[in-house]
Amino acid sequence: MKKTILAAFMALYGFYGMAQGDSGFGIKGGLNYNANGDYFESAGDAARNPDRNVGYHVGIFGKFGASKVYVRPELMYTKTKSDYDGSDFDMSKLDAPVLLGINLVGPLHVFAGPSFQYILETEFDGVTIDDVENDFSVGMNIGAGVNLGKLGIDLRYERGFNDNEASFINTNITNLGPSRIDTRPDQLILSLSLTM
């Protein structure tokens, strides 16, 4: 695990070394809203219980490219929480999005790209997690942001490409077989970043 984090950090540093123009590196953090099913249904649930599916992320990023088009690799620790019929499913993971962005007008920019995820830990209230099908998965990020000098704010949508399930056995009910939860990311992510 330490070797993976060190390799990712060295890659970000290498990208920074090759950078030109509006390039740099920095730190970021923010909130994640993890959805189950339809976002409009989840929005109604969020209004009644605003902290139910809220998680967070912290990490580093690099940005390199010309003044119009840029590439932005990121490495983040992400903690998500999902509600399944009153029980919480918590997941900790490393996210590594590689975003291609376009500066539109003034401080406004849009971006999209793949996001590589490595699941570190999963936990479900009152339930023993047996196994997550794949610790490594791939998703997609798409979003928009505003840069105000060294400060940046962006909002993105993330969706996992491949089905990824966690199987569990309910310790309270022994006559039922194993059940499954879809652990594929489906979330809105609000980030605040600071370029160094």
Side-chain angles (χ1 to χ4, degrees), residues 29-51:
L31 299 175
N32 301 26
Y33 178 73
N34 204 33
N36 295 324
D38 185 86
Y39 258 116
F40 295 109
E41 254 179 64
S42 292
D45 291 341
R48 289 185 291 278
N49 299 298
D51 64 339

Side-chain angles (χ1 to χ4, degrees), residues 115-180:
S115 178
F116 306 96
Q117 294 122 20
Y118 180 76
I119 297 173
L120 300 171
E121 184 180 15
T122 56
E123 183 181 330
F124 194 63
D125 284 350
V127 172
T128 302
I129 296 289
D130 184 25
D131 196 15
V132 174
E133 189 177 321
N134 297 306
D135 287 337
F136 180 79
S137 63
V138 179
M140 176 72 168
N141 279 202
I142 184 166
V146 175
N147 288 331
L148 308 168
K150 293 181 179 261
L151 189 65
I153 300 169
D154 70 63
L155 180 65
R156 65 183 73 174
Y157 172 71
E158 180 183 65
R159 177 67 177 167
F161 285 145
N162 51 327
D163 290 338
N164 197 21
E165 296 180 332
S167 59
F168 63 91
I169 298 169
N170 192 327
T171 56
N172 297 326
I173 303 172
T174 56
N175 61 350
L176 293 179
S179 298
R180 298 189 181 281

Side-chain angles (χ1 to χ4, degrees), residues 2-188:
K2 291 180 182 178
K3 289 180 182 179
T4 304
I5 293 171
L6 181 61
F9 181 74
M10 290 176 67
L12 286 175
Y13 187 75
F15 288 143
Y16 177 68
M18 297 184 304
Q20 300 175 15
D22 288 335
S23 303
F25 66 95
I27 57 174
K28 64 175 293 185
L31 299 175
N32 301 26
Y33 178 73
N34 204 33
N36 295 324
D38 185 86
Y39 258 116
F40 295 109
E41 254 179 64
S42 292
D45 291 341
R48 289 185 291 278
N49 299 298
D51 64 339
R52 177 173 282 173
N53 287 1
V54 175
Y56 65 89
H57 63 276
V58 293
I60 56 174
F61 68 90
K63 181 179 175 186
F64 65 97
S67 60
K68 188 73 174 167
V69 178
Y70 64 87
V71 175
R72 180 174 163 150
E74 301 176 348
L75 180 63
M76 294 175 294
Y77 172 79
T78 302
K79 180 85 169 173
T80 63
K81 183 168 69 168
S82 302
D83 179 67
Y84 288 91
D85 296 325
S87 297
D88 289 334
F89 176 69
D90 296 325
M91 181 167 39
S92 302
K93 59 182 181 156
L94 287 178
D95 286 320
V98 181
L99 305 170
L100 178 63
I102 299 172
N103 293 314
L104 295 177
V105 178
L108 182 64
H109 59 100
V110 294
F111 54 85
S115 178
F116 306 96
Q117 294 122 20
Y118 180 76
I119 297 173
L120 300 171
E121 184 180 15
T122 56
E123 183 181 330
F124 194 63
D125 284 350
V127 172
T128 302
I129 296 289
D130 184 25
D131 196 15
V132 174
E133 189 177 321
N134 297 306
D135 287 337
F136 180 79
S137 63
V138 179
M140 176 72 168
N141 279 202
I142 184 166
V146 175
N147 288 331
L148 308 168
K150 293 181 179 261
L151 189 65
I153 300 169
D154 70 63
L155 180 65
R156 65 183 73 174
Y157 172 71
E158 180 183 65
R159 177 67 177 167
F161 285 145
N162 51 327
D163 290 338
N164 197 21
E165 296 180 332
S167 59
F168 63 91
I169 298 169
N170 192 327
T171 56
N172 297 326
I173 303 172
T174 56
N175 61 350
L176 293 179
S179 298
R180 298 189 181 281
I181 296 175
D182 189 355
T183 63
R184 175 177 30 186
D186 185 17
Q187 58 187 341
L188 289 175

